[in-house]
Amino acid sequence: MTATAQTSQTRRESLRGHAAMLLFSALVAGSFSLGVRSANLIDPAAITAARFVLAAGVIGGVILAMRPAPTGQPMSAPWRNVLLGAVFSAYFVLMFEGLKTAPAVSAAAVFTLTPVMSAFFGWLLMRQRMTLRMAMALTLGGIGALWVIFRGDLAAMARLEFGRGEAVYLLGCTFHALYTPLVRKLDRGENAAVFTLGTLTAGAVLLTIWGWGAIRATDWANLPAIVWVTLIYVAVFASAATLVLVQYATLRLPAAKVMAYTYLTPAWVIALEALLGQSLPGAIILPGIAATVAALALLLRD
């Protein structure tokens, strides 16, 4: 392959990675709006275990239907799936725990802090370098996220006074930020869907063991309809689909660029909340939204 053809192929792969993450940001937004409506109706460990089981079933069905060509060593070193499953499970459990008290828009703003953490883990694990422009973009995005979280209250921002829900979810986002470069670090050329199935299966087993008490205590037959809607959505769209999308994009884009698309999540959540009949947040948070969108534009420039 000539240098020109190789460059063209690299650009096409990069564009596909960007498209995957654009879809990812929209799908993730739905989990916040649904999550706040069901987080207090079921234990976080129980719903997360169920979502991993359902998501694994969906991915397994897709694999059986598509019969992807074997690549790499899909069954080698299963400890990688266990590690990734544990990291992603921790993120989702902490997310639902945080959504018990954190508003959807605030939680989405916390999620936009993951690119900063992902860039750090990308350097730590992969020695991915950060340019001055990328550092400026991450700083701008972080400031915008904090503006939304604290609703423009500079005094509260200076004191870092925010709710327990946001604090719990921030810890969860640390695991999400670690997951992105960890996938690339542990990749051995497997088919993305096959490797994702291994991660989901490992996560389901770990969560079932850890949350068995909560699972048994849940009255599954009498759960409100919103819980089942949330469970199906997060299992199919916010777990199975997004895991494949992140896995796909991570192999084509640097970790910081992959997570840059989280900056779109608050805007998606605001639009979705409006569609669900909720009042729009005050104009005070608009500078924060504008800052995160500007950060996204900076990060996506070559």
Side-chain angles (χ1 to χ4, degrees):
M1 182 181 293
T2 65
T4 301
Q6 187 173 10
T7 300
S8 179
Q9 176 65 21
T10 301
R11 287 178 178 174
R12 285 196 295 270
E13 290 296 315
S14 178
L15 286 174
R16 289 168 184 161
H18 287 301
M21 290 311 298
L22 181 63
L23 179 57
F24 164 89
S25 67
L27 292 177
V28 165
S31 64
F32 289 105
S33 293
L34 291 173
V36 297
R37 290 164 171 81
S38 59
N40 289 296
L41 302 174
I42 185 173
D43 185 89
I47 192 172
T48 306
R51 79 186 288 178
F52 269 60
V53 170
L54 288 175
V58 171
I59 292 294
V62 170
I63 291 173
L64 288 175
M66 298 182 64
R67 299 182 183 276
T71 57
Q73 304 175 52
M75 299 307 293
S76 68
W79 63 267
R80 296 175 299 147
N81 298 114
V82 175
L83 177 58
L84 290 171
V87 170
F88 221 51
S89 298
Y91 163 73
F92 280 120
V93 170
L94 291 169
M95 173 186 175
F96 268 91
E97 184 64 33
L99 286 175
K100 287 182 177 180
T101 55
V105 176
S106 292
V110 172
F111 189 55
T112 63
L113 295 174
T114 52
V116 178
M117 296 184 284
S118 186
F120 168 74
F121 287 124
W123 171 83
L124 187 66
L125 296 176
M126 303 293 296
R127 288 297 185 265
Q128 292 178 344
R129 295 182 178 181
M130 183 183 299
T131 64
L132 177 60
R133 176 172 51 79
M134 185 176 291
M136 291 173 59
L138 292 176
T139 301
L140 180 62
I143 292 173
L146 290 173
W147 185 275
V148 175
I149 294 167
F150 293 106
R151 296 171 181 81
D153 187 339
L154 296 178
M157 189 184 299
R159 295 190 300 269
L160 290 179
E161 292 180 353
F162 55 99
R164 176 186 178 277
E166 286 88 345
V168 169
Y169 186 47
L170 179 61
L171 177 60
C173 287
T174 304
F175 287 98
H176 195 292
L178 172 62
Y179 179 85
T180 306
L182 197 59
V183 166
R184 193 159 189 164
K185 179 73 173 179
L186 300 179
D187 175 66
R188 296 186 180 179
E190 294 92 346
N191 176 276
V194 173
F195 194 71
T196 298
L197 175 60
T199 299
L200 287 170
T201 302
V205 172
L206 292 172
L207 282 165
T208 300
I209 295 172
W210 183 72
W212 182 243
I215 294 171
R216 289 190 61 188
T218 300
D219 186 2
W220 295 96
N222 295 305
L223 286 173
I226 185 62
V227 176
W228 287 108
V229 171
T230 301
L231 177 57
I232 293 172
Y233 180 89
V234 296
V236 177
F237 299 105
S239 289
T242 56
L243 265 176
V244 172
L245 291 170
V246 170
Q247 177 98 359
Y248 182 87
T250 297
L251 301 180
R252 290 159 177 80
L253 301 170
K257 284 196 174 188
V258 169
M259 298 314 298
Y261 278 92
T262 62
Y263 287 139
L264 289 178
T265 304
W268 284 119
V269 171
I270 289 172
L272 185 55
E273 287 292 293
L275 288 174
L276 291 174
Q278 298 298 310
S279 60
L280 292 173
I284 188 65
I285 74 165
L286 292 181
I289 297 295
T292 55
V293 173
L296 170 66
L298 282 173
L299 282 172
L300 295 184
R301 286 182 58 193
D302 290 330

